[in-house]
Amino acid sequence: MPELKTSTAPAASSGFSIGSWQVHVANLFGTRHGALGASILLVLLLVAITAPLIAPYSPLEQTQASLAPPSSQFLFGTDNIGRDVFSLVVHGSRSSLMVGLGAALAALLIGGTLGILAGYFQGPVEAGLMRLVELFQTLPVIILVLCAVALFGSNFWLLIAAVALAIWPMEARLVYGQYIKLRDREFIAAARVADLSTAHIMFREILPNAIQPIIVQVALDASIAILIEAGLGFLGLSDPSKVSWGRLLFVAQDYMDSAWWMSLFPGAAICITVVGLNLFADGLNEVIDPRSTSGVGGLQ
Amino acid sequence: MLRFVGRRALLAIPLLLAIIILMFSMLHLIPGDPVQALVGDYPVPPAYRQAIETKYRLNDPFLVQVGNYLANVAQGDFGFSYQNQRNVLDLILERAPRTMLLASVSFALAIPLGMAIGIAAGTSRRPGVDKFWTTTALIVYAIPTFWLGQLLVMLLALRLGWFPTQGIGPLISRTQGFAWLLEKLRYLALPVLAFGIHEGMRIARIMRASVIDTLSQGYIITARAKGLSRGRIIRSHVMRNSSLPLVTIAGYAFGSALGGAVLLETVFTWPGLGLLLVDSIRLRDNMTVIGVVIFSALAVIAMNLIVDLLYAALDPRIRTTR
Amino acid sequence: MSLSPLLDVRDLKVHLRLGPNVVKAIDGVDFRIMPGECVGIVGESGSGKSTMARAITRLMPNVNIAELSGELSFEGQDILAMPDGALRALRRGRGFSMIFQDPLGYLNPTQRVGRQIEEALSCDSSRGSNRNRVHTLLDEVGLPDPANVARRYPHELSGGMRQRVMIAIALASDPQLLFADEPTTALDATVQLQVLQTLYRLHKERNMAMAIITHDLGVVAELCDRVYVMRAGKVIESAETVRLFEHPQQDYSRRLIELSTRRLPRELQA
Ligand SMILES: Nc1ncnc2c1ncn2[C@@H]1O[C@H](COP(=O)(O)OP(=O)(O)OP(=O)(O)O)[C@@H](O)[C@H]1O
Ligand SMILES: [Mg+2]
C-alpha cells in the first residue's frame, strides 16, 4: 500500500474550548466556499421551516390550470394536475433536508459507535467489525436502499433508516481511522497513564480531536442521503404521502416533451442543496487543513 | 504478486457467501406468507406452491433452508421469475451485457475526461484555472445523473431531435455494418453523456487532489532539476503516480455500475440490470431482486480483484512487498 | 584556476510568506564559487542553507514567495531573469545539479532507476548508447553490477545505493557545479564516509565545482577549500577552511567548531 499522508490530523489539543469553535466559525466564513455553502444551507433551512408562509399555494391544492408554463401567477408553472410547482418545490425542501440530516446523523451514530468500538477494542472485535463494514460496502448504496425499500416498504421513517443503513460504513471507516491515528498519540497515552476512565478518554480526549473531519463527513453524507432520497423518489419508491423533489422528477419524466418546468425546478433545487453541502464541507476542510490552499500550487 | 491476488480472491469468497446469506435471510423478514414473498404478488396455483415449498425446503429449519439455497446458487440456479416466466439467471445474462456496454463506454469517456481536468487543475500555475475547474467539477458532480439525463433528453432529443429519447433501438434492425453501428451509437449517446460527465467529475476531483499530493513529492523536484519540460514531467512522473488512488475509487464505481446503473437506466428506459431490478421491486418479484443483487455484489468483488491487479501493475512497491 | 567566478551571488533575498507572517529565510547573502572549487556551507538548523541552494538552482518548492531578489550570475548569465527554456537547457547540459538529503523521496518509486538516470542525460541519442552511458555513470558513482542496478526500483536499493543513484542522476548532465544538500545525513556512518569519498573523487576527476551543505564540520575540514557559516538567513562568516578552523572571527563559528571537535573522536571510531 502507498504511504498515507498522516499530516492532515488536526493539531493535538486536549482541551475542547468554546473559544476555538468561534474561531473556526469565523474562519469558515472567511473561506469563499465555506461562506457560500453555509449561506445556501441557512437559506434552505429557513425555507424549509417557513414553507407554508412562503408557498403561495398548499402543496395539495389543484388549481384550474394544469401544465401551465411559468408566469407571474405560477412562478415555476403548474404540474399535470394543476398544482403550483413553486409551492411543491418549497415544501419538498422539508423532506429532503430531513432525510439528509436524519440519515447522516443516524449514520454517524451507528458508524461512530462501531468505529470507536473497533478502534478501542483491538483484536477480534476490531477485525470482525471491519469485515462487517466491508460487507456493507460491497453492495452499491443505491441497491442496498432499494432492497430495504423493496422488503419493508417506503414509509418515510423507514426510508431514513434505510439510507442510514447504507451510508454508515463511510462514517465507521472515518471514525475508526481517526481513532487509530489518535490512539497512539502521547496525550492519549498520558490519559491512560493517569488512569482516566475509558469513557473519559473517548469523549473528552479523542472526540474533540476527531470532530472536524467528522463534521465534513456528515455534510458529505447528508448530500449523498439527499441524492439517494431524490433517486428513490424518482423511481417512484419514496413515501407517496410526502412531497419530495425526487418524486416531482418522477412525475416530470412523463411530461418531458410538454412541461420542462416540471423537471427543471425540482432538479435545480436538489443541485443547489448538494452544492451547498459540498461547499460547506470544502470550506471546513480548508479551515482544518489550511495547507491545502495556502501558498501557490501547480507545477513550475 | 500472484499470491497476493490469490489471497485477496480467497478473502472475497466469505464476503460473497455472507451477502447471499444476508439476502436470503432478508426474504424471511418480509411479513406474511414466505411462498408469496418468493413469488411476488400473484395468485399462486397450489401445485406451484407445493413445488416452491419443496424446492426451498420452506418447512425445514432456517439453517437447512440457507444451505439449500446456497447449493442452488452454486449450481447457477437463482430461481424462477414468475413474473417473467423465465429463469432468473437467463434474465440476468440477457440484461448484463447491455449494462456492461453502457458502463464501459461511459467510463471510457469519464476516465480521460476526469484525468485531463484533474491534471489541468492540479498542475496549473494560475490559481484561476484551478478554481474554475474545481468549481465546475463541484457543481456538475452535484447534478444527479437522472436529472442530467432528463435535461439532456429535453434539450438534445426533444428540442433539437439529434438523439432518440430512450431505449436501445429496434430489436430487428434493417441497417447493417457502419450504419448499424451509427444507429446503436445514437441510442447510446445520451445515457453515456450523462453517466460519463457525472463520473468524469468524480474522477476529476480525486485526480486533482492526487496530483497536488504528487507535486509536493521530492521526485518532482528531481525531475525539474533534470531540466525536463513541464509536459514531460506530467507524462512520466505525475500521471502514473497520481493515478494510484484513482484506480481504487474508479474501480469501485465501475463495479457498482456493472451491477446496474439503476437511475440512469430508468431515465432512458435502457433495458439493463438496473431497470430489471427496479421493475422487479415494483412487482415484488423477489427472486429476481435477490438474483440481481447477488450478481451486482459479484461484479463489485470481481472489480475489486482487478483493481488489486492493476494497482500492483502500477506500483512496483506492492509487487515486491507482498 | 581562472579568475572569474563560476557562480556569483550578490545580496540574495528570499522572503517567504507563511500565513500572515513573512519569514526572511535568506536576507542579503553574498556567495561565490570558483570553477572546480569545493565550498562548504554550515550553520544551525533553519539558518537557510537549503533555501539558499534551492533559490540559486531555482528549485524552490511550492511556497508563497514574498520576495526573491538579488544578482545571481552563473558563467556571467543572470539566472534569476533567465526564461524557463534557457534554464532547462542549463540544467540539461554543463550547468548545475543538486542532490538531496532523502534519496528515497527524491526518486520516483514507480520507475526503474535506469530510466530515471537516462532521462537526465544531457542529450538524447540512440537507446543503446544511452544505456551504455547509464551503466558508465552507475559504475562511476561506485555501484557494482550496473546492469542489474539499472533494472531495479528505488525501494529495492539500500540507502547508500539510492544516494549513489541520485549522484548519478545529478552527474548525467555533466554539470560544472553540484549542490549537495546534506547528502549523507540519512545514511549510517560507514556508508556516509564512502559516499563522501565518492563525491570527492568525482569532484576531483571531473574538475566539477561543488557546494556541500552539512552539519558536520569534520566533513568540511576534510573536503572543502572554503566555508560559509550561515545564521538566521545571513552569511556571518566566510573564509578558507584552514583559516576558519584556526582563527574563527565570530563567536558563533567558534562554538560550531568546538561542538564538532568534541564529537570528532567518536566519528573517527566509526
Ligand atoms: N517550505 C517552506 N515553507 C515555509 N517556510 C520555509 C519552508 N522551507 C523553509 N522555510 C523557512 O525558511 C527558513 C530556512 O529554512 P531552511 O530549510 O533553508 O534551513 P536549513 O538551514 O536548511 O535547515 P536544516 O539544517 O534543518 O536543513 C526557516 O526559517 C524555515 O522556517
Ligand atoms: Mg536543510
Side-chain angles (χ1 to χ4, degrees), chain A residues 36-297:
Chain A
L36 196 60
S39 316
I40 291 177
L41 294 183
L42 280 178
V43 169
L44 277 169
L45 208 62
L46 264 177
V47 168
I49 292 170
T50 60
L53 302 178
I54 300 175
Y57 302 87
S58 137
L60 301 173
E61 183 180 340
Q62 300 179 9
T63 61
Q64 290 305 311
S66 65
L67 296 179
S71 63
S72 58
Q73 193 191 353
F74 305 109
L75 219 46
F76 291 175
T78 61
D79 72 356
N80 53 319
I81 49 174
R83 294 179 301 175
D84 178 40
V85 175
F86 178 71
S87 304
L88 288 169
V89 169
V90 166
H91 277 275
S93 64
R94 292 186 152 187
S95 67
S96 272
L97 289 188
M98 246 154 85
V99 171
L101 274 182
L105 290 179
L108 174 63
L109 204 69
I110 309 172
T113 312
L114 294 185
I116 287 186
L117 287 179
Y120 193 80
F121 301 102
Q122 303 162 29
V125 177
E126 184 176 15
L129 285 173
M130 290 330 277
R131 290 311 296 242
L132 189 68
V133 167
E134 205 178 320
L135 177 75
F136 268 84
Q137 282 198 321
T138 302
L139 285 174
V141 169
I142 182 82
I143 290 188
L144 258 176
V145 178
L146 277 177
C147 283
V149 169
L151 298 178
F152 306 118
S154 52
N155 172 293
F156 186 70
W157 299 105
L158 277 178
L159 189 102
I160 292 184
V163 174
L165 201 69
I167 59 180
W168 71 266
M170 292 187 271
E171 284 291 346
R173 279 246 153 120
L174 177 87
V175 171
Y176 173 72
Q178 287 290 326
Y179 192 102
I180 292 289
K181 203 154 60 182
L182 295 168
R183 182 164 74 185
D184 308 320
R185 286 261 188 85
E186 302 95 73
F187 69 95
I188 302 291
R192 283 229 170 116
V193 170
D195 207 17
L196 296 168
S197 75
T198 307
H200 180 92
I201 294 177
M202 277 189 192
F203 291 104
R204 303 295 307 196
E205 309 294 338
I206 290 184
L207 201 60
N209 283 288
I211 198 107
Q212 286 171 328
I214 288 175
I215 295 177
V216 171
Q217 186 64 38
V218 168
L220 294 177
D221 277 356
S223 78
I224 293 171
I226 285 174
L227 283 173
I228 296 175
E229 189 254 5
L232 280 182
F234 172 72
L235 295 173
L237 295 172
S238 68
D239 192 335
S241 70
K242 287 257 193 295
V243 181
S244 82
W245 294 333
R247 201 160 251 284
L248 294 176
L249 290 179
F250 170 61
V251 182
Q253 177 82 5
D254 291 335
Y255 297 91
M256 281 194 291
D257 52 349
S258 52
W260 51 265
W261 53 90
M262 282 175 64
S263 163
L264 185 71
F265 296 108
I270 301 173
C271 265
I272 290 170
T273 313
V274 173
V275 166
L277 282 164
N278 277 300
L279 286 174
F280 178 75
D282 260 20
L284 212 59
N285 257 334
E286 244 175 79
V287 174
I288 299 172
D289 186 16
R291 207 176 40 116
S292 59
T293 46
S294 78
V296 279

Side-chain angles (χ1 to χ4, degrees), chain B residues 204-256:
Chain B
R205 285 161 59 112
I206 302 163
M207 192 67 188
R208 172 186 171 271
S210 180
V211 164
I212 287 175
D213 189 50
T214 303
L215 288 182
S216 71
Q217 304 289 320
Y219 54 81
I220 298 297
I221 303 258
T222 307
R224 281 167 57 203
K226 288 175 188 172
L228 303 181
S229 66
R230 262 176 69 92
R232 181 96 189 262
I233 295 178
I234 291 174
R235 258 178 288 125
S236 63
H237 294 282
V238 177
M239 260 166 73
R240 178 177 181 160
N241 297 49
S242 307
S243 306
L244 288 173
L246 192 72
V247 169
T248 317
I249 296 176
Y252 178 75
F254 185 67
S256 316

Side-chain angles (χ1 to χ4, degrees), chain B residues 40-52:
Chain B
D41 296 337
Y42 293 94
V44 187
Y48 191 69
R49 166 176 293 273
Q50 188 67 45
I52 291 277

Side-chain angles (χ1 to χ4, degrees), chain C residues 234-247:
Chain C
K234 292 201 163 71
V235 168
I236 55 164
E237 184 166 3
S238 70
E240 316 250 301
T241 309
V242 187
R243 288 237 342 232
L244 182 86
F245 276 83
E246 284 173 1
H247 307 289

